């Protein structure tokens, strides 16, 4: 069974966190001479002279209403990348512990592991991009602290089977991270409602994809309140700017706009898929549960370079194992997709 205290690194478990001025006094009104801010104002027309809410309570309130979880089950990071890095730092002893990933998958897991000097164990997806959950469980050893799954997976675009993930959550007594950056585009349900069922579950969401806010750098981790407490304890005190919090709050009030984006992107995705399937050099367009298509071609890097000369930029995945000769295409606007297809029609 998962035991949080035994899973944490000792230095993190016993860490006494920094207490900021805004932690020690939480009122909104008064003469604030506690944080060495500039009381005169900012060197801009709008005012940014006060430190932001370190625990983003207004944002969390809106997120908990939208996603149906408790505020104390939410961590807000400076992009999902911050949450991934903090998870490594909470649970993995550098040079000793390891993490299992299931490539081909998102490259940041490996980079974050390398930054933190954590060993990686790779269990490759099957040729049809499904997960071999038994192989994942067999790969676990005494120093395996975390299994990171990505569903829908980047760059393959497919969701990982719910029963496979649940088997891992049940049988593995360490942290299981499910990166759901693309969940808005998938028919599958999020694992969020299962937080109370699995104390070792961490779900990652982001504002960078469906919400259209990649520039803000806002990622979310959902987990038990005990895990969230630890993430908050080790994050930089003011990790989310006040401006980002304000804009995220505005977006959360407009979630209908996000739903409309998703609707349009799904229509465009199917449209683009059928257009690409007509091209002679396209061998296969993989089914997608995300806002991109993985496309197997006769010569990935040659097509990639041809498109660069036409100022259309795709992601070349042709050298990635299991994705040989594949290009990853983000679904764009109708105009962008038509332009891509018409340029591809002239490829020889
Ligand atoms: C795009 C993406 C993210 C988002 O990362 P941010 O740091 O929140 O922008 C997370 N995970 C995967 C798999 C992604 O493809």
């Amino acid at each position: 069974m998962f035991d949080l205290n035994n899973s944490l690194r000792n230095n993190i478990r016993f860490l006494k966190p920094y207490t900021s001025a805004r932690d020690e006094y939480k009122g909104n009104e008064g003469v604030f001479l506690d944080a060495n801010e500039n009381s005169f104002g900012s060197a801009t027309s709008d005012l940014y002279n006060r430190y932001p809410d370190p625990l983003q309570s207004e944002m969390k309130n809106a997120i908990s209403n939208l996603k149906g979880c408790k505020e104390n089950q939410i961590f807000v990071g400076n992009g999902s990348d911050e949450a991934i890095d903090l998870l490594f730092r909470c649970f993995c002893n550098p040079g000793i512990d390891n993490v299992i990933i299931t490539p081909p998958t998102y490259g940041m897991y490996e980079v974050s592991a390398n930054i933190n000097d954590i060993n990686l164990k790779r269990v490759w997806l099957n040729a049809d991009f499904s997960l071999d959950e038994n192989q994942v469980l067999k790969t676990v050893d005494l120093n395996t602290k975390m299994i990171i799954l990505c569903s829908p997976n980047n760059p393959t675009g497919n969701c990982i089977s719910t029963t496979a993930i649940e088997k891992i959550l049940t049988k593995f007594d360490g942290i299981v991270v499910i990166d759901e950056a693309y969940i808005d585009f998938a028919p599958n349900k999020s694992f969020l409602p299962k937080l109370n069922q699995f104390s070792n579950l961490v779900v990652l969401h982001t504002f960078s994809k469906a919400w259209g806010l990649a520039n803000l750098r806002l990622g979310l981790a959902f987990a038990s309140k005990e895990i969230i407490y630890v993430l908050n304890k080790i994050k930089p005190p003011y990790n989310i700017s006040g401006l980002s919090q304000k804009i995220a709050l505005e977006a959360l009030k407009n979630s209908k706009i996000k739903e409309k984006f998703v609707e349009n992107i799904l229509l465009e995705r199917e449209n683009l898929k059928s257009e690409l399937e007509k091209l002679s050099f396209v061998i296969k367009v993989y089914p997608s549960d995300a806002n991109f298509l993985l496309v197997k071609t006769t010569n990935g890097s040659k097509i990639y370079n041809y498109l660069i000369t036409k100022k259309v930029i795709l992601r070349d995945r042709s050298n990635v194992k299991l994705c040989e000769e594949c290009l990853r295409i983000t679904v764009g606007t109708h105009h962008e997709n038509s332009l891509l297809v018409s340029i591809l029609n002239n490829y020889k």
Side-chain angles (χ1 to χ4, degrees):
M1 270 289 82
F2 175 70
D3 178 330
L4 178 59
N5 279 331
N6 278 336
S7 301
L8 287 170
R9 286 168 67 195
N10 272 329
N11 63 313
I12 301 298
R13 180 177 172 190
F14 298 111
L15 179 79
K16 216 173 150 290
Y18 175 75
T19 53
S20 68
R22 290 295 172 271
D23 288 322
E24 288 187 359
Y25 180 81
K26 288 195 158 65
N28 281 327
E29 271 161 51
V31 178
F32 286 97
L33 303 175
D34 57 347
N36 297 347
E37 298 152 336
N38 184 340
S39 294
F40 291 79
S42 310
T44 48
S45 48
D46 289 330
L47 288 178
Y48 301 105
N49 54 327
R50 299 297 178 182
Y51 280 105
D53 175 0
L55 290 172
Q56 311 95 19
S57 51
E58 276 190 274
M59 253 189 93
K60 285 179 184 167
N61 180 265
I63 293 165
S64 86
N65 288 335
L66 191 74
K67 307 227 181 195
C69 59
K70 298 215 177 75
E71 286 169 46
N72 60 14
Q73 294 176 312
I74 307 168
F75 169 82
V76 187
N78 191 0
S80 310
D81 296 343
E82 181 176 32
I84 294 166
D85 179 66
L86 292 179
L87 287 164
F88 275 103
R89 287 154 67 186
C90 283
F91 294 103
C92 305
N93 289 289
I96 297 169
D97 291 328
N98 68 70
V99 161
I100 297 176
I101 62 168
T102 62
T105 191
Y106 187 42
M108 261 324 277
Y109 313 141
E110 179 159 356
V111 174
S112 213
N114 288 338
I115 291 170
N116 288 293
D117 193 18
I118 307 307
N119 294 316
L120 267 191
K121 292 189 165 206
R122 295 176 184 81
V123 178
W124 288 82
L125 295 177
N126 299 314
D128 65 355
F129 302 144
S130 62
L131 180 73
D132 186 344
E133 69 273 24
N134 294 319
Q135 192 55 41
V136 170
L137 289 167
K138 266 192 235 162
T139 305
V140 170
D141 66 27
L142 287 172
N143 293 316
T144 305
K145 292 299 171 67
M146 205 151 70
I147 296 173
I148 307 180
L149 305 171
C150 185
S151 182
N153 186 42
N154 177 6
T156 59
N158 59 305
C159 280
I160 304 299
S161 130
T162 302
T163 45
I165 298 177
E166 289 195 351
K167 185 161 180 187
I168 291 173
L169 277 163
T170 307
K171 304 240 158 154
F172 175 56
D173 62 5
I175 294 285
V176 179
V177 179
I178 308 176
D179 186 341
E180 294 186 336
Y182 300 98
I183 194 68
D184 293 280
F185 306 104
N188 302 44
K189 295 222 160 46
S190 168
F191 264 75
L192 262 190
K194 301 189 195 251
L195 279 185
N196 298 327
Q197 193 180 335
F198 299 107
S199 58
N200 56 340
L201 171 63
V202 178
V203 178
L204 300 179
H205 285 184
T206 181
F207 282 91
S208 299
K209 307 286 155 66
W211 290 92
L213 294 171
N215 190 275
L216 288 191
R217 310 306 306 125
L218 283 171
L220 302 171
F222 301 89
S224 70
K225 65 178 195 300
E226 290 80 12
I227 294 175
I228 297 301
Y229 172 82
V230 180
L231 290 175
N232 282 330
K233 186 165 95 159
I234 75 167
K235 78 180 179 69
Y238 302 109
N239 60 327
I240 306 298
S241 82
L243 200 55
S244 295
Q245 292 183 47
K246 185 176 137 200
I247 297 170
L249 207 55
E250 180 191 336
L252 288 160
K253 286 184 183 136
N254 294 330
S255 64
K256 287 271 178 304
I257 301 180
K258 184 218 41 167
E259 284 160 25
K260 194 73 201 161
F261 282 146
V262 170
E263 208 177 290
N264 283 331
I265 290 167
L266 294 187
L267 283 175
E268 285 301 328
R269 184 181 77 194
E270 295 320 302
N271 198 16
L272 179 60
K273 183 170 192 281
S274 63
E275 290 298 316
L276 293 170
E277 281 166 344
K278 293 177 193 159
L279 299 167
S280 61
F281 48 87
V282 166
I283 295 169
K284 178 173 177 146
V285 183
Y286 289 92
S288 172
D289 298 321
N291 66 344
F292 58 83
L293 291 169
L294 187 72
V295 183
K296 193 178 268 310
T297 66
T298 51
N299 191 332
S301 56
K302 202 163 152 228
I303 298 166
Y304 172 82
N305 285 316
Y306 161 75
L307 285 168
I308 295 269
T309 67
K310 306 288 176 194
K311 298 213 156 34
V312 175
I313 300 94
L314 306 184
R315 191 89 156 128
D316 184 3
R317 301 283 82 182
S318 56
N319 292 322
V320 174
K321 188 172 147 189
L322 296 183
C323 299
E324 289 82 6
E325 306 310 333
C326 284
L327 297 168
R328 195 193 69 191
I329 308 178
T330 306
V331 177
T333 62
H334 187 72
H335 174 71
E336 290 171 329
N337 302 334
S338 312
L339 201 65
L340 168 69
V341 170
S342 71
I343 293 171
L344 284 173
N345 268 314
N346 293 325
Y347 172 76
K348 283 179 246 329

